[in-house]
Amino acid sequence: VQANYSFSDSSGYLNDPYKIVSIVDPISGDIVPRTPPAGVSGPSHEYVFEARPDARTKHSFYGQAKYYMSGKVLDASYRYMTDDWDIDSHTVDLRFRWPIGESIYLEPHARFYTQTDAKFYQIGLVEGVPLPAFASSDYRLGNFDAITAGLKVGWKTSHGNDMSVRLELYQQRGSI
C-alpha cells in the first residue's frame, strides 16, 4: 500500500506563447474573418493570445494498493488533483498480472481519467464583448474524459531476461 500527497505552487509566466483564442461572431458562432492589408500575409481570422493567471497552486492525493493472490497480482491506484484554476481530476488505474505457466504472463490494463475545465477556459471570445482578464482555449485546460485499455504479454527469455509486448488503445473525449 502506498499513499502520497503532493503540493505545487507555480508563479511567473504560465501562458503558452503559441496558444490563441479565436474571436467569434455573437450570432452565428463562426470565427470572425480577418483581411490583412494588401501584400501582407497573416492569419485568416481575428484572435487574441491566451492569458492565464500568473500563479497556480495544486494539491494531489495518490493511493496505490497491490494484492497478491496465488501468483496473480492486482495493482490498483487512484489519484485526485485539484487546483486554484478550478480544475479537478480523478484517475483510476487497474492492472492484473496473470501468470501462464512458468515463464509467460498476461497483464490487462484499464485507466479512467476525468477532469473539469479551468475557470478561464473558453473555446472562443465573442466579438464586441469586453475581453476577460484571463482566457485560454487550450484543450488541455478543458473538460474531458479519457479511457485507456490494453494488454501486455511478457515472458522470460532463455537467458533469463524479461521481454514484453504491450498494445493499448487510448480514447479521449472533451466537451466544448
Side-chain angles (χ1 to χ4, degrees):
V1 174
Q2 174 183 340
N4 292 329
Y5 165 74
S6 298
F7 173 79
S8 171
D9 188 29
S10 304
S11 63
Y13 184 76
L14 302 179
N15 292 337
D16 185 329
Y18 303 104
K19 296 292 182 188
I20 61 171
V21 183
S22 297
I23 306 297
V24 298
D25 182 89
I27 297 170
S28 68
D30 294 336
I31 58 174
V32 175
R34 177 177 181 266
T35 307
V40 176
S41 62
S44 62
H45 65 282
E46 295 292 332
Y47 68 90
V48 295
F49 286 99
E50 76 162 19
R52 299 179 188 185
D54 61 0
R56 185 178 187 186
T57 300
K58 295 194 289 186
H59 302 273
S60 177
F61 303 92
Y62 176 80
Q64 180 182 28
K66 294 186 180 189
Y67 184 66
Y68 180 81
M69 304 166 281
S70 304
K72 301 175 187 86
V73 178
L74 174 63
D75 182 351
S77 66
Y78 171 75
R79 183 179 78 102
Y80 171 70
M81 190 282 302
T82 186
D83 68 11
D84 59 355
W85 287 2
D86 286 350
I87 297 175
D88 292 322
S89 70
H90 302 271
T91 308
V92 175
D93 198 308
L94 302 167
R95 297 173 193 270
F96 185 71
R97 187 176 178 129
W98 185 357
I100 308 291
E102 291 294 317
S103 61
I104 299 174
Y105 67 89
L106 298 176
E107 188 177 280
H109 174 230
R111 180 179 184 268
F112 307 95
Y113 177 83
T114 186
Q115 88 174 27
T116 59
D117 55 350
K119 57 187 165 191
F120 53 87
Y121 175 77
Q122 297 187 40
I123 196 68
L125 298 172
V126 178
E127 182 182 39
V129 173
L131 295 176
F134 304 112
S136 177
S137 60
D138 186 343
Y139 71 93
R140 297 169 297 180
L141 299 175
N143 183 9
F144 76 90
D145 302 314
I147 296 174
T148 304
L151 179 67
K152 177 179 176 181
V153 178
W155 65 93
K156 282 206 181 294
T157 67
S158 59
H159 298 292
N161 297 316
D162 287 329
M163 298 289 290
S164 65
V165 175
R166 178 188 313 262
L167 177 64
E168 293 194 327
L169 173 68
Y170 175 78
Q171 184 174 16
Q172 176 178 308
R173 181 185 50 211
S175 60
I176 298 176

